[in-house]
Amino acid sequence: MAPATTVAAAAAARGLVGSRRRTEAPPRRPSPSPPPRKLRLVTEIMARARYAVVERGDYSDVGCEQCGSGERPDELLLCDKCDKGFHMKCLRPIVARVPIGSWLCPKCSGHRRVRSFSQKKIIDFFRIQKSCDGKKKFTSNQDMRKRRRRSRSLVLLKKRRRLLPFIPSEDPNQRLNQMGTLASALTALQMEFSDDLTYSPGMAPRSANQAKFENGGMQVLSKEDMETLELCREMSRSGECPPLIVVFDSCEGYLHFEIICTVVDILCNCIFSVFILIMSCSYTVEADGQIKDMTFIAEYTGDVDYIKNRENDDCDSLMTLLLATDSSKSLVICPDKRGNIARFINGINNHTLEGKKKQNCKCVRYSVNGECRVLLVATRDIAKGERLYYDYNGYEHEYPTHHFV
């Protein structure tokens, strides 16, 4: 009977509870008042926000944060976070084309900016040999002979035109800036600096580079010009470079836009190669000082290889080194892995009068101690700020230039 009583008691208890819930309201407890809402400052919100774009009514006063110029607005990129402007060629690494979608400057994106080459890095990059005597001045034997020939006829001197050594900039900081632009361009193309011809395994050996193989013979560099060449090489090794700078120009280069599109179509599965090709077509060389007529500018350097091995090569700057009677022994210079500033000097369109007027230097092949060498020489006085151009074709006229810009 105990369990039944217990069940009835439980039922009665449930009834009491149920009736209470239906007839009586539960005691109301006072609810605590919510704390007053604290409004955050706009600066705090902006600091935690990812980024916000505030459009301005007028962008005519925007200039590049690197060079300070507001020119070339079509090349001026605006950061979607800080709204500051940057020229595509002033950024490091250089932006080759306008980005698709939003774009953030290096500071806002958090990416480390490519540091400019310091003085020590430039010295290491070009393997400059420090001289213990900082006041050493290089003088050529030609200068000594000129003093003795002052009484000779000017007409006679004009007939015997000799190479002149380049005159480096007097300001050391200006020379460092010149070498820095070349180092940046070579690094962008993943190239090494080399002021000499290179004979790599698997390519043409040095024994193949003999001027006696040239079809029809090759002009021999005179003794005086060889002294000038050695003088310029000695100055370069000591950090006294020609007064030249490498600049980036998206509109410059030897490829016409239609050709670039064709290359892109062919190499659509190799985006990196296309990028390197377009970048190499966008560099050019400017004079950073006055350059006199017949001044030695640079020697064309790079890997030496047989022409037969490079028939399908996509390098845009192959240079003829040797045209042998036996075509299988003909050689070219390939500046795709190693080279110097000659790699970035552009060619002219020799099919137009305007293109021919731009030429201010020439490329000449010489026999130097029995070996073929290619030298770039000024053909007229070149003013500061003027860009350097030469004709890619020699007497063979086999290189197509009708698409050159």
Side-chain angles (χ1 to χ4, degrees):
M1 298 299 293
T5 305
T6 303
V7 172
R14 283 198 301 270
L16 291 174
V17 173
S19 62
R20 181 180 176 182
R21 286 180 181 172
R22 287 194 296 268
T23 58
E24 297 179 10
R28 179 176 293 180
R29 296 179 180 178
S31 59
S33 58
R37 187 174 182 180
K38 183 180 179 181
L39 299 178
R40 291 186 296 174
L41 299 176
V42 176
T43 55
E44 182 182 352
I45 297 174
M46 295 295 293
R48 295 186 178 183
R50 186 167 176 262
Y51 65 86
V53 180
V54 180
E55 295 289 342
R56 286 193 282 172
D58 185 15
Y59 286 89
S60 59
D61 59 338
V62 176
C64 177
E65 295 295 319
Q66 300 296 332
C67 66
S69 171
E71 298 178 355
R72 303 186 306 278
D74 55 325
E75 299 179 12
L76 201 61
L77 298 179
L78 293 177
C79 177
D80 287 329
K81 184 175 181 180
C82 66
D83 215 29
K84 295 180 180 179
F86 298 85
H87 281 126
M88 293 190 293
K89 73 174 185 179
C90 294
L91 293 165
R92 294 294 182 272
I94 292 172
V95 178
R97 55 182 61 182
V98 178
I100 299 175
S102 60
W103 176 81
L104 300 179
C105 66
K107 183 178 181 180
C108 295
S109 63
H111 296 163
R112 290 184 60 187
R113 186 177 181 272
V114 178
R115 293 181 295 177
S116 59
F117 282 82
S118 63
Q119 180 176 355
K120 183 180 183 304
K121 285 190 175 182
I122 290 176
I123 291 175
D124 296 340
F125 188 89
F126 293 100
R127 298 186 291 275
I128 296 174
Q129 300 173 1
K130 295 183 179 179
S131 175
C132 57
D133 184 8
K135 298 182 179 179
K136 179 182 177 182
K137 292 294 182 181
F138 298 97
T139 57
S140 64
N141 292 337
Q142 281 184 288
D143 296 333
M144 301 295 295
R145 293 190 184 100
K146 282 180 182 179
R147 297 170 187 171
R148 303 170 190 167
R149 296 176 183 174
R150 291 188 185 276
S151 59
R152 294 193 179 186
S153 170
L154 180 62
V155 177
L156 179 61
L157 292 177
K158 272 292 183 181
K159 289 182 179 179
R160 301 184 60 185
R161 291 164 61 88
R162 300 300 184 190
L163 293 181
L164 300 177
F166 59 78
I167 301 177
S169 303
E170 295 183 0
D171 185 5
N173 293 327
Q174 188 177 4
R175 294 201 299 268
L176 286 173
N177 178 63
Q178 294 162 1
M179 290 186 288
T181 61
L182 174 57
S184 298
L186 291 172
T187 304
L189 297 185
Q190 298 183 346
M191 291 176 55
E192 298 177 4
F193 172 77
S194 175
D195 232 1
D196 300 289
L197 295 176
T198 309
Y199 302 91
S200 303
M203 299 185 187
R206 185 164 188 169
S207 58
N209 183 11
Q210 298 187 36
K212 63 182 181 181
F213 295 150
E214 175 71 15
N215 186 13
M218 182 176 291
Q219 56 183 328
V220 180
L221 193 67
S222 67
K223 182 180 178 180
E224 289 183 350
D225 290 345
M226 285 185 62
E227 292 173 354
T228 300
L229 178 61
E230 289 303 319
L231 171 63
C232 293
R233 291 174 64 84
E234 185 178 354
M235 285 193 292
S236 297
R237 287 191 290 265
S238 300
E240 297 192 2
C241 58
L244 302 170
I245 57 174
V246 182
V247 296
F248 180 85
D249 189 343
S250 59
C251 300
E252 188 63 72
Y254 82 97
L255 283 183
H256 194 272
F257 179 74
E258 296 173 357
I259 298 182
I260 292 179
C261 293
T262 304
V263 174
V264 172
D265 291 338
I266 295 175
L267 301 177
C268 59
N269 295 325
C270 189
I271 303 301
F272 181 75
S273 297
V274 175
F275 174 75
I276 292 297
L277 178 60
I278 293 175
M279 289 288 288
S280 64
C281 300
S282 301
Y283 285 107
T284 185
V285 178
E286 288 184 0
D288 200 29
Q290 183 76 20
I291 300 177
K292 295 183 179 180
D293 182 18
M294 289 301 296
T295 297
F296 169 77
I297 294 176
E299 179 181 355
Y300 209 95
T301 61
D303 292 324
V304 179
D305 201 359
Y306 292 106
I307 290 181
K308 61 182 179 180
N309 296 340
R310 298 284 179 155
E311 292 178 350
N312 299 319
D313 198 293
D314 59 354
C315 179
D316 61 286
S317 299
L318 296 180
M319 173 61 67
T320 302
L321 178 63
L322 171 65
L323 289 176
T325 306
D326 183 359
S327 59
S328 63
K329 295 183 179 180
S330 296
L331 303 176
V332 290
I333 303 174
C334 314
D336 51 354
K337 296 180 181 178
R338 282 164 282 273
N340 57 10
I341 199 166
R343 166 72 169 78
F344 302 104
I345 300 179
N346 287 322
I348 63 166
N349 184 341
N350 57 14
H351 293 271
T352 64
L353 181 61
E354 291 298 324
K356 294 179 180 179
K357 288 181 179 179
K358 293 164 63 175
Q359 182 176 355
N360 50 21
C361 54
K362 64 179 178 180
C363 202
V364 191
R365 293 185 296 134
Y366 285 105
S367 171
V368 181
N369 296 327
E371 293 184 345
C372 301
R373 306 272 281 275
V374 181
L375 307 183
L376 279 164
V377 183
T379 58
R380 59 173 173 82
D381 291 347
I382 304 174
K384 181 178 180 180
E386 185 178 351
R387 294 187 176 180
L388 273 62
Y389 296 94
Y390 71 99
D391 192 349
Y392 277 8
N393 285 298
Y395 61 85
E396 62 272 12
H397 293 287
E398 293 182 353
Y399 203 100
T401 63
H402 53 281
H403 283 296
F404 281 32
V405 177

